[in-house]
Amino acid sequence: MNRRPAWHVATVVESRPETTTARRLELEVPTWPGNDAGAHVDVRLTAPDGYQASRSYSLASSGDGTRVTLAVDEIPDGEVSPFLVHDLRVGDRIELHGPLGAFFVWRPSDDPAPVQLIAGGSGVVPLYAMAAAHARSGEATPLRLLYSVRSPGDVFFRPELEALADRGLPLDLVYTRTAPPGVSAPPGRLTAEGLRRAVFPAAQRPRVYVCGPTPFVEAVAGWLVDDGHDPAAVRTERFGGA
Amino acid sequence: MSFITRGFSGRRRERDPRLPPGQTLVADWPVLSAGPTPTVADDAWEFVIGTENDVHRWTRAELEALGVEDVTVDIHCVTHWTKLDMAWRGVSLDRVFAEVETAHRFAMVHSFGGYTTNVALDDLLGGKSWIAFEAEGAPLTAEHGGPARLLVPHLYFWKSAKWVQGLVTMPRDSPGFWEQNGYHPHGDPWREERYE
Ligand SMILES: Cc1cc2nc3c(=O)[nH]c(=O)nc-3n(C[C@H](O)[C@H](O)[C@H](O)COP(=O)(O)OP(=O)(O)OC[C@H]3O[C@@H](n4cnc5c(N)ncnc54)[C@H](O)[C@@H]3O)c2cc1C
């Protein structure tokens, strides 16, 4: 299948709150060629005077359909994310360029090594796509997700992740500020120790995908290498920001 | 095929003529890379050029003895950010290549950690690229490519390989890491050569 990146016109068919600060956008893209889990798009907006702004957003969806899903977290003083979160409505059209990112993707059966996904905040978007694609594929390769969020209200794709967990996805949630009742661990940032306890050990030679804000990715990738993970098996994607 | 996005006015009204199409100004310095940040010991670092004739090696001190320059340049990342007037300090590839003989017109740049990127010698020579050790008045931090990165400011920033280790000249162009993963072989920001 030809999945070379190209420009596409996307129409918003659904928009709903995702977390306390983020919105899920369902887009219909009639010319979409399909995409691997983990790919992203460039979204381009044009003002009446011709001014344009482009930002990258990961795809929460994968596969062959023409329906694609984004989840956008609002950066309060940002230019594009507040527009996507607050102003974009069902029926509006935006331009997408993609699918992009042939490196940060997971495809069924491309490797028998276990797969460790590690997300911080909105960095879960492409990793959720991988977890969902893995479940759909019925593949036996073990896969687990470690997901760091500030509080229970900040979990992206909560119902979908809980459904995947019910079907056997090992899901480790780390709450950095507020933990929900019933969680015994006090809230706090992920540590090297906590990471080591939750992920496939280096001896099992997992492939690791890390995605989130730069300091999160920087810290996690560094700890993984310190713990003996092969740097070549650790793929990272940084969403910018602090 | 662009059309107006309903309700979008844009907040960053700057249209600095130094901003290539599709780029947005940033004040901070975003970090991008495909994997963990390699740690490269300053004293173990050397720069290596392999050609069809020879292998050349320089320690950092030997390189700096060729002449260190201060340059102020604009940086354009393929992920749409641009940072204007960044101050860099490093050694021009012209000075390095003064000691190298090759009939090749292309190079594959290699970094610690396995990253590669292809650049034509015409894009490296003629005052167009440096091996940079400092940015904004301080040694390059590891996450920004320290101890040394290539600096090719007229191309998208993925060509400015972090943790640079050396380059191998090639008779024909051949894609490096991101270029094999869908990025444009050349990467001119003014022509928006982002993706292949
Ligand atoms: C490959 C890729 C995939 C991405 N996928 C997603 C995604 O699925 N969902 C999503 O919400 N975002 C995603 N991002 C981030 C997104 O591209 C934008 O950076 C983000 O929406 C902010 O854009 P803005 O125009 O609102 O802010 P800008 O106007 O660009 O920036 C405002 C300020 O906020 C800082 N900033 C930029 N990004 C962030 C951030 N993420 N967090 C905190 N501060 C920031 C900037 O440095 C700047 O100082 C992705 C980024 C990349 C590179």
Side-chain angles (χ1 to χ4, degrees):
Chain A
M1 180 178 310
N2 179 4
R3 286 181 174 170
R4 285 173 67 88
W7 284 102
H8 301 274
V9 177
T11 305
V12 182
V13 291
E14 202 185 318
S15 162
R16 58 177 154 120
E18 183 62 41
T19 69
T20 49
T21 56
R23 216 162 172 87
R24 187 187 304 203
L25 301 172
E26 300 281 353
L27 307 172
E28 177 58 32
V29 192
T31 53
W32 190 247
N35 63 278
D36 289 321
H40 66 273
V41 291
D42 281 355
V43 169
R44 182 166 73 186
L45 308 177
T46 305
D49 64 355
Y51 173 83
Q52 294 187 321
S54 304
R55 297 290 185 280
S56 301
Y57 293 95
S58 294
L59 294 156
S61 50
S62 69
D64 291 335
T66 57
R67 192 60 76 83
V68 306
T69 308
L70 309 183
V72 179
D73 201 13
E74 181 184 7
I75 305 304
D77 64 344
E79 178 175 38
V80 169
S81 61
F83 174 82
L84 295 177
V85 167
H86 296 293
D87 303 328
L88 194 69
R89 291 194 225 128
V90 169
D92 285 348
R93 297 179 314 152
I94 54 175
E95 286 178 288
L96 299 186
H97 190 244
L100 301 170
F103 179 67
F104 198 80
V105 296
W106 179 84
R107 293 187 198 94
S109 298
D110 62 357
D111 192 330
V115 178
Q116 178 69 53
L117 310 176
I118 307 175
S122 60
V124 77
V125 177
L127 303 187
Y128 161 67
M130 293 180 198
H134 177 266
R136 271 200 313 276
S137 76
E139 180 149 328
T141 311
L143 175 143
R144 48 190 310 153
L145 170 62
L146 170 62
Y147 183 14
S148 167
V149 289
R150 285 202 197 95
S151 70
D154 294 312
V155 180
F156 283 71
F157 301 101
R158 177 186 279 284
E160 289 85 354
L161 287 174
E162 281 171 354
L164 289 173
D166 287 344
R167 290 177 50 195
L169 169 76
L171 171 64
D172 299 286
L173 277 167
V174 174
Y175 295 95
T176 59
R177 304 239 177 104
T178 321
V183 169
S184 57
R189 285 202 178 198
L190 186 63
T191 59
E193 190 40 47
L195 178 78
R196 190 176 308 122
R197 268 187 272 117
V199 303
F200 289 111
Q204 290 187 32
R205 310 200 139 271
R207 284 184 295 153
V208 191
Y209 295 83
V210 190
C211 187
T214 293
F216 177 84
V217 171
E218 195 64 23
V220 165
W223 292 330
L224 289 168
V225 174
D226 290 346
D227 274 354
H229 290 263
D230 175 6
V234 179
R235 299 184 177 198
T236 59
E237 188 142 275
R238 299 154 195 262
F239 279 9
Chain B
M1 73 160 188
S2 281
F3 51 84
I4 291 165
T5 316
R6 186 200 60 78
F8 180 69
S9 60
R11 287 198 198 157
R12 305 280 143 81
R13 302 310 303 182
E14 85 292 302
R15 264 287 99 181
D16 195 301
R18 293 175 295 169
L19 214 49
Q23 296 295 108
T24 301
L25 278 182
V26 296
D28 55 351
W29 187 4
V31 174
L32 288 132
S33 49
T37 296
T39 25
V40 183
D42 283 331
D43 50 0
W45 186 86
E46 59 174 7
F47 193 75
V48 183
I49 293 183
T51 70
E52 71 277 34
N53 305 312
D54 231 332
V55 176
H56 306 255
R57 294 170 184 277
W58 297 261
T59 63
R60 172 153 178 183
E62 286 165 345
L63 270 186
E64 291 187 334
L66 300 177
V68 175
E69 297 171 14
D70 288 303
V71 288
T72 300
V73 291
D74 302 338
I75 299 298
H76 312 294
C77 178
V78 70
T79 64
H80 300 285
W81 58 265
T82 284
K83 202 165 159 54
L84 297 176
D85 294 325
M86 281 195 85
W88 295 81
R89 180 160 245 253
V91 178
S92 166
L93 262 284
D94 292 334
R95 296 178 190 255
V96 181
F97 267 86
E99 308 194 338
V100 175
E101 214 165 281
T102 177
H104 291 165
R105 300 314 306 155
F106 298 93
M108 187 66 79
V109 181
H110 292 263
S111 295
F112 291 89
Y115 180 78
T116 57
T117 189
N118 54 301
V119 192
L121 289 196
D122 283 344
D123 281 313
L124 289 178
L125 304 178
K128 291 182 181 161
S129 78
W130 293 265
I131 300 161
F133 300 106
E134 291 181 24
E136 311 278 61
L140 275 174
T141 59
E143 60 175 11
H144 288 300
R149 77 183 293 163
L150 190 66
L151 176 65
V152 197
H154 72 290
L155 300 178
Y156 282 124
F157 209 34
W158 88 77
K159 295 286 186 182
S160 294
K162 296 181 184 186
W163 315 296
V164 71
Q165 201 170 16
L167 58 84
V168 178
T169 64
M170 314 184 283
R172 275 172 302 280
D173 202 9
S174 133
F177 174 77
W178 286 123
E179 295 83 4
Q180 286 169 32
N181 281 290
Y183 281 53
H184 195 279
H186 184 229
D188 180 346
W190 294 97
R191 298 160 74 172
E192 281 213 83
E193 292 172 343
R194 295 178 197 276
Y195 311 108
E196 184 44 347

